[in-house]
Amino acid sequence: MLISTKGRYALRVMADLARRPLEEYVPLKEIAQRQEISEKYLEAIIKILVKAELLSGVRGKGGGYKLTRAPEQYTVGAVLRLTEESLAPVACLEEDASPCARAAECPTLPLWRGLDRVISEYLERVTLADLLEGRV
């Protein structure tokens, strides 16, 4: 499992917005400047987050983006699942993987399943609030 820039940047954007009052819309340009992310690339990431209703956006003067709920209600796992193709440690555990012909006799499959479970459980326990408060 390798987290892409899209996943890492999505978490940075969410953390950036989590530092703001919930009712405050933050312009895309400001986020891009603070996070040192291209506006064009950031637009694509924010589009995913808005579509999933993690963020809401308003166009025009005074517009921008904001979280739709409190930082403690967002898990890192939820954000990464939106932006990453897979969080599985091996291809055979990916959601749409074809059944493996060797699964029944694979001595390493239990290891990969365990690792997958540990990763998922950890990412679901960590919230944006935890990131901001340094509790990870």
Coordinates of all heavy atoms in Angstrom, one line a residue, residues 45-112:
I45 N -9.2 17.4 -6.4 CA -9.3 16.7 -5.1 C -10.6 17.2 -4.4 O -11.4 16.4 -3.8 CB -8.1 17.0 -4.2 CG1 -6.9 16.2 -4.9 CG2 -8.3 16.5 -2.8 CD1 -5.5 16.6 -4.3
I46 N -10.8 18.5 -4.4 CA -11.9 19.1 -3.7 C -13.2 18.6 -4.3 O -14.2 18.4 -3.6 CB -11.8 20.6 -3.6 CG1 -10.8 21.0 -2.5 CG2 -13.2 21.3 -3.4 CD1 -10.6 22.4 -2.3
K47 N -13.2 18.4 -5.6 CA -14.4 17.9 -6.3 C -14.9 16.6 -5.7 O -16.0 16.3 -5.5 CB -14.2 17.8 -7.8 CG -15.3 17.4 -8.6 CD -15.0 17.4 -10.1 CE -16.2 17.0 -10.9 NZ -15.9 17.0 -12.4
I48 N -13.9 15.7 -5.5 CA -14.2 14.4 -4.9 C -14.7 14.6 -3.5 O -15.7 13.9 -3.1 CB -12.9 13.6 -4.9 CG1 -12.4 13.2 -6.3 CG2 -13.1 12.3 -4.0 CD1 -11.0 12.7 -6.3
L49 N -14.2 15.4 -2.7 CA -14.6 15.7 -1.3 C -16.0 16.3 -1.3 O -16.8 16.0 -0.4 CB -13.6 16.5 -0.6 CG -12.2 15.9 -0.5 CD1 -11.2 16.9 0.1 CD2 -12.2 14.6 0.3
V50 N -16.3 17.2 -2.2 CA -17.6 17.8 -2.2 C -18.7 16.8 -2.7 O -19.7 16.7 -2.1 CB -17.6 19.1 -3.2 CG1 -19.0 19.5 -3.4 CG2 -16.8 20.2 -2.5
K51 N -18.3 16.0 -3.7 CA -19.3 15.0 -4.2 C -19.7 14.0 -3.1 O -20.8 13.6 -3.0 CB -18.7 14.3 -5.4 CG -19.6 13.3 -6.0 CD -19.0 12.6 -7.2 CE -20.0 11.6 -7.8 NZ -19.4 10.9 -8.9
A52 N -18.7 13.7 -2.2 CA -18.9 12.8 -1.1 C -19.5 13.5 0.1 O -19.7 12.8 1.2 CB -17.6 12.1 -0.7
E53 N -19.8 14.8 0.0 CA -20.4 15.6 1.0 C -19.5 15.7 2.3 O -20.0 16.0 3.4 CB -21.8 15.1 1.4 CG -22.7 15.2 0.2 CD -24.1 14.8 0.5 OE1 -24.4 14.2 1.6 OE2 -25.0 14.9 -0.4
L54 N -18.2 15.6 2.1 CA -17.3 15.9 3.2 C -17.0 17.4 3.3 O -16.7 17.9 4.4 CB -15.9 15.2 3.0 CG -15.9 13.7 3.6 CD1 -16.8 12.8 2.9 CD2 -14.4 13.2 3.5
L55 N -17.2 18.1 2.2 CA -17.0 19.5 2.1 C -18.2 20.1 1.4 O -18.9 19.4 0.7 CB -15.8 19.9 1.3 CG -14.4 19.5 1.7 CD1 -13.4 20.0 0.7 CD2 -14.1 19.9 3.1
S56 N -18.5 21.4 1.7 CA -19.5 22.1 0.9 C -18.8 23.3 0.3 O -17.9 23.8 0.9 CB -20.7 22.5 1.8 OG -20.4 23.4 2.8
G57 N -19.3 23.8 -0.8 CA -18.7 24.9 -1.5 C -19.7 25.9 -1.9 O -20.9 25.6 -2.2
V58 N -19.3 27.2 -2.0 CA -20.1 28.3 -2.4 C -19.2 29.1 -3.4 O -18.1 29.3 -3.2 CB -20.5 29.2 -1.3 CG1 -21.2 30.4 -1.8 CG2 -21.4 28.4 -0.3
R59 N -19.8 29.4 -4.6 CA -19.1 30.2 -5.6 C -19.3 31.7 -5.3 O -20.2 32.1 -4.7 CB -19.7 29.8 -7.0 CG -19.4 28.4 -7.4 CD -19.9 28.2 -8.8 NE -19.8 26.8 -9.2 CZ -18.7 26.3 -9.9 NH1 -17.7 27.1 -10.1 NH2 -18.7 25.1 -10.2
G60 N -18.4 32.4 -6.0 CA -18.5 33.9 -5.9 C -17.8 34.5 -4.8 O -17.1 33.9 -4.0
K61 N -18.1 35.9 -4.6 CA -17.5 36.7 -3.6 C -17.9 36.1 -2.2 O -19.0 35.8 -1.9 CB -17.9 38.1 -3.7 CG -17.2 39.0 -2.7 CD -17.6 40.5 -3.0 CE -17.1 41.4 -2.0 NZ -15.7 41.7 -2.2
G62 N -16.9 35.9 -1.4 CA -17.1 35.3 0.0 C -17.3 33.8 -0.1 O -17.6 33.2 0.9
G63 N -17.1 33.2 -1.2 CA -17.2 31.8 -1.4 C -16.0 31.0 -1.0 O -15.0 31.6 -0.6
G64 N -16.1 29.7 -1.2 CA -15.0 28.9 -0.9 C -15.5 27.5 -0.4 O -16.6 27.1 -0.8
Y65 N -14.7 26.9 0.4 CA -15.1 25.6 0.9 C -15.0 25.5 2.4 O -14.2 26.2 3.1 CB -14.1 24.5 0.3 CG -14.3 24.5 -1.2 CD1 -13.5 25.3 -2.0 CD2 -15.3 23.7 -1.8 CE1 -13.6 25.3 -3.4 CE2 -15.4 23.7 -3.2 CZ -14.6 24.5 -3.9 OH -14.8 24.5 -5.3
K66 N -15.8 24.6 3.0 CA -15.8 24.4 4.4 C -16.2 22.9 4.7 O -16.8 22.2 3.9 CB -16.7 25.3 5.2 CG -18.2 25.1 4.9 CD -19.0 26.0 5.7 CE -20.5 25.6 5.6 NZ -21.4 26.3 6.5
L67 N -15.8 22.4 5.9 CA -16.2 21.1 6.3 C -17.8 21.1 6.5 O -18.4 22.1 6.9 CB -15.6 20.7 7.7 CG -14.1 20.7 7.7 CD1 -13.6 20.3 9.1 CD2 -13.5 19.7 6.7
T68 N -18.4 19.9 6.3 CA -19.8 19.8 6.5 C -20.1 19.4 7.9 O -21.3 19.4 8.3 CB -20.4 18.8 5.5 OG1 -19.8 17.6 5.7 CG2 -20.3 19.3 4.1
R69 N -19.1 19.0 8.7 CA -19.4 18.6 10.1 C -18.1 18.8 10.9 O -17.1 19.2 10.3 CB -19.9 17.1 10.2 CG -19.0 16.1 9.4 CD -19.8 14.8 9.4 NE -19.0 13.7 8.8 CZ -18.9 13.4 7.6 NH1 -19.7 14.0 6.7 NH2 -18.2 12.4 7.1
A70 N -18.1 18.5 12.2 CA -17.0 18.8 13.1 C -15.8 17.9 12.7 O -16.0 16.7 12.3 CB -17.5 18.6 14.5
P71 N -14.6 18.4 13.0 CA -13.4 17.6 12.7 C -13.4 16.2 13.3 O -12.8 15.2 12.7 CB -12.3 18.4 13.2 CG -12.8 19.8 13.1 CD -14.3 19.7 13.4
E72 N -13.9 16.0 14.5 CA -13.9 14.7 15.2 C -14.8 13.7 14.5 O -14.8 12.5 14.8 CB -14.2 14.8 16.7 CG -15.5 15.5 17.0 CD -15.3 17.1 17.1 OE1 -14.2 17.6 17.0 OE2 -16.3 17.7 17.4
Q73 N -15.6 14.2 13.5 CA -16.6 13.3 12.8 C -16.0 12.8 11.5 O -16.7 12.0 10.8 CB -17.9 14.0 12.6 CG -18.6 14.3 13.9 CD -19.9 15.0 13.7 OE1 -20.0 15.9 12.9 NE2 -20.9 14.6 14.4
Y74 N -14.8 13.1 11.2 CA -14.1 12.6 10.0 C -13.0 11.7 10.3 O -12.1 12.1 11.1 CB -13.5 13.8 9.2 CG -14.5 14.8 8.6 CD1 -14.8 15.9 9.3 CD2 -15.0 14.6 7.3 CE1 -15.7 16.8 8.8 CE2 -15.8 15.5 6.8 CZ -16.2 16.6 7.5 OH -17.1 17.5 6.9
T75 N -13.0 10.5 9.8 CA -11.8 9.6 10.0 C -10.9 9.7 8.8 O -11.3 10.0 7.7 CB -12.2 8.2 10.2 OG1 -12.8 7.7 8.9 CG2 -13.2 8.0 11.3
V76 N -9.6 9.5 9.1 CA -8.6 9.5 8.1 C -9.0 8.4 7.0 O -8.8 8.6 5.8 CB -7.2 9.2 8.7 CG1 -6.2 8.9 7.6 CG2 -6.8 10.4 9.5
G77 N -9.4 7.3 7.5 CA -9.8 6.2 6.6 C -10.9 6.6 5.6 O -10.8 6.2 4.5
A78 N -11.9 7.3 6.1 CA -13.0 7.8 5.2 C -12.4 8.7 4.1 O -12.8 8.5 2.9 CB -14.0 8.5 5.9
V79 N -11.5 9.6 4.4 CA -10.9 10.5 3.4 C -10.0 9.7 2.4 O -10.1 9.8 1.2 CB -10.1 11.6 4.1 CG1 -9.3 12.4 3.0 CG2 -10.9 12.4 5.0
L80 N -9.2 8.8 2.9 CA -8.3 8.0 2.1 C -9.1 7.0 1.2 O -8.7 6.8 0.0 CB -7.3 7.3 2.9 CG -6.2 8.1 3.6 CD1 -5.3 7.3 4.4 CD2 -5.5 9.0 2.5
R81 N -10.2 6.4 1.7 CA -10.9 5.5 0.8 C -11.5 6.3 -0.4 O -11.7 5.7 -1.4 CB -12.0 4.8 1.6 CG -11.5 3.6 2.3 CD -12.7 2.7 2.9 NE -13.7 3.5 3.6 CZ -13.6 3.9 4.9 NH1 -12.5 3.6 5.5 NH2 -14.5 4.6 5.5
L82 N -11.8 7.6 -0.2 CA -12.4 8.3 -1.4 C -11.3 8.6 -2.4 O -11.6 8.7 -3.6 CB -12.9 9.7 -0.9 CG -14.2 9.7 -0.1 CD1 -14.5 11.1 0.4 CD2 -15.3 9.3 -1.1
T83 N -10.1 8.8 -2.0 CA -9.0 9.3 -2.9 C -8.1 8.2 -3.4 O -7.4 8.4 -4.4 CB -8.2 10.4 -2.2 OG1 -7.7 9.9 -1.0 CG2 -9.0 11.6 -1.9
E84 N -8.1 7.1 -2.8 CA -7.2 6.0 -3.1 C -7.9 4.9 -3.8 O -9.1 4.6 -3.5 CB -6.5 5.4 -1.9 CG -5.6 6.4 -1.1 CD -4.5 7.1 -2.0 OE1 -3.8 6.3 -2.7 OE2 -4.5 8.3 -2.0
E85 N -7.3 4.3 -4.8 CA -7.9 3.1 -5.5 C -8.1 2.0 -4.5 O -9.1 1.3 -4.5 CB -7.1 2.7 -6.7 CG -7.2 3.7 -7.8 CD -6.4 3.2 -9.0 OE1 -6.2 1.9 -9.1 OE2 -6.0 4.0 -9.8
S86 N -7.1 1.8 -3.6 CA -7.2 0.7 -2.7 C -6.3 1.0 -1.5 O -5.2 1.6 -1.7 CB -6.8 -0.6 -3.3 OG -6.7 -1.6 -2.4
L87 N -6.6 0.5 -0.3 CA -5.8 0.6 0.8 C -5.3 -0.8 1.2 O -4.6 -1.0 2.2 CB -6.5 1.2 2.0 CG -6.9 2.6 1.9 CD1 -7.8 3.1 3.1 CD2 -5.8 3.6 1.7
A88 N -5.6 -1.8 0.4 CA -5.2 -3.2 0.6 C -3.7 -3.3 0.5 O -3.1 -2.7 -0.4 CB -5.9 -4.1 -0.3
P89 N -3.0 -4.1 1.4 CA -1.6 -4.3 1.3 C -1.1 -5.2 0.2 O 0.0 -5.1 -0.2 CB -1.2 -4.9 2.7 CG -2.5 -5.6 3.1 CD -3.6 -4.8 2.6
V90 N -2.0 -6.0 -0.4 CA -1.7 -6.9 -1.5 C -2.9 -6.9 -2.5 O -4.0 -6.7 -2.1 CB -1.4 -8.3 -1.1 CG1 0.0 -8.4 -0.3 CG2 -2.5 -8.9 -0.2
A91 N -2.6 -7.2 -3.7 CA -3.6 -7.1 -4.8 C -4.8 -8.1 -4.6 O -5.9 -7.7 -4.9 CB -3.0 -7.4 -6.1
C92 N -4.5 -9.2 -4.0 CA -5.6 -10.2 -3.9 C -6.6 -9.8 -2.8 O -7.7 -10.3 -2.8 CB -5.0 -11.6 -3.5 SG -4.2 -11.7 -1.9
L93 N -6.4 -8.8 -2.0 CA -7.3 -8.3 -1.0 C -8.1 -7.0 -1.5 O -8.9 -6.5 -0.8 CB -6.6 -8.0 0.3 CG -6.1 -9.3 1.0 CD1 -5.4 -8.9 2.3 CD2 -7.2 -10.3 1.2
E94 N -7.8 -6.5 -2.7 CA -8.5 -5.4 -3.2 C -9.9 -5.7 -3.4 O -10.3 -6.9 -3.7 CB -7.8 -4.9 -4.5 CG -6.4 -4.3 -4.2 CD -5.8 -3.8 -5.5 OE1 -6.3 -4.0 -6.6 OE2 -4.6 -3.2 -5.3
E95 N -10.8 -4.7 -3.3 CA -12.2 -4.9 -3.3 C -12.7 -5.6 -4.5 O -13.5 -6.5 -4.4 CB -12.9 -3.5 -3.2 CG -14.4 -3.6 -2.8 CD -14.9 -2.3 -2.5 OE1 -14.4 -1.6 -1.6 OE2 -15.9 -1.9 -3.2
D96 N -12.2 -5.3 -5.7 CA -12.7 -5.9 -6.9 C -11.7 -6.9 -7.5 O -11.7 -7.2 -8.7 CB -13.1 -4.9 -7.9 CG -12.0 -3.9 -8.2 OD1 -10.9 -4.0 -7.6 OD2 -12.2 -3.0 -9.1
A97 N -10.9 -7.5 -6.7 CA -9.9 -8.5 -7.1 C -10.6 -9.8 -7.6 O -11.6 -10.2 -7.0 CB -8.9 -8.8 -6.0
S98 N -10.0 -10.4 -8.6 CA -10.5 -11.7 -9.0 C -10.1 -12.7 -8.0 O -9.0 -12.6 -7.3 CB -9.8 -12.1 -10.3 OG -10.1 -11.1 -11.3
P99 N -10.9 -13.7 -7.8 CA -10.5 -14.8 -6.8 C -9.2 -15.4 -7.1 O -8.9 -15.7 -8.3 CB -11.6 -15.8 -6.9 CG -12.8 -15.1 -7.6 CD -12.2 -14.0 -8.4
C100 N -8.4 -15.5 -6.1 CA -7.0 -16.1 -6.3 C -7.1 -17.6 -6.3 O -7.7 -18.2 -5.3 CB -6.1 -15.6 -5.2 SG -4.5 -16.3 -5.3
A101 N -6.6 -18.3 -7.3 CA -6.6 -19.7 -7.4 C -5.8 -20.4 -6.3 O -6.1 -21.5 -5.9 CB -6.1 -20.2 -8.8
R102 N -4.9 -19.7 -5.7 CA -4.0 -20.2 -4.7 C -4.5 -19.9 -3.2 O -3.8 -20.3 -2.3 CB -2.6 -19.7 -4.9 CG -1.9 -20.1 -6.2 CD -0.5 -19.7 -6.3 NE 0.3 -19.9 -5.1 CZ 0.8 -21.1 -4.6 NH1 0.5 -22.2 -5.3 NH2 1.5 -21.1 -3.5
A103 N -5.6 -19.2 -3.1 CA -6.0 -18.7 -1.8 C -6.1 -19.8 -0.8 O -5.7 -19.6 0.4 CB -7.3 -17.9 -1.9
A104 N -6.6 -20.9 -1.1 CA -6.9 -22.0 -0.2 C -5.6 -22.6 0.4 O -5.5 -23.1 1.5 CB -7.7 -23.2 -0.9
E105 N -4.5 -22.5 -0.4 CA -3.2 -23.1 0.1 C -2.1 -22.0 0.3 O -1.0 -22.3 0.6 CB -2.7 -24.1 -0.9 CG -2.2 -23.6 -2.2 CD -3.0 -24.1 -3.4 OE1 -4.1 -24.8 -3.2 OE2 -2.6 -23.9 -4.5
C106 N -2.5 -20.8 0.3 CA -1.6 -19.7 0.5 C -1.2 -19.5 2.0 O -2.1 -19.1 2.7 CB -2.1 -18.4 -0.1 SG -1.0 -17.0 0.1
P107 N 0.0 -19.8 2.3 CA 0.4 -19.6 3.7 C 0.5 -18.2 4.2 O 0.5 -17.9 5.4 CB 1.7 -20.3 3.8 CG 2.3 -20.2 2.5 CD 1.1 -20.2 1.5
T108 N 0.6 -17.2 3.3 CA 0.8 -15.8 3.7 C -0.5 -15.0 3.7 O -0.6 -13.9 4.2 CB 1.8 -15.1 2.7 OG1 1.2 -15.1 1.4 CG2 3.1 -15.8 2.7
L109 N -1.6 -15.6 3.1 CA -2.9 -14.9 3.1 C -3.4 -14.4 4.5 O -3.8 -13.3 4.6 CB -3.9 -15.7 2.4 CG -5.3 -15.0 2.1 CD1 -5.0 -13.7 1.3 CD2 -6.2 -15.9 1.3
P110 N -3.3 -15.3 5.5 CA -3.7 -14.8 6.8 C -2.9 -13.6 7.3 O -3.5 -12.6 7.9 CB -3.5 -16.0 7.7 CG -3.6 -17.2 6.8 CD -3.0 -16.7 5.5
L111 N -1.6 -13.5 7.0 CA -0.8 -12.4 7.4 C -1.3 -11.1 6.7 O -1.5 -10.1 7.3 CB 0.7 -12.6 6.9 CG 1.6 -11.4 7.0 CD1 2.0 -11.2 8.4 CD2 2.7 -11.6 6.1
W112 N -1.6 -11.2 5.4 CA -2.1 -10.0 4.6 C -3.4 -9.6 5.1 O -3.7 -8.4 5.2 CB -2.0 -10.3 3.1 CG -0.7 -10.7 2.6 CD1 -0.4 -11.8 1.8 CD2 0.6 -10.0 2.9 NE1 1.0 -11.8 1.6 CE2 1.6 -10.7 2.2 CE3 0.9 -8.9 3.6 CZ2 2.9 -10.4 2.2 CZ3 2.3 -8.5 3.6 CH2 3.2 -9.2 2.9

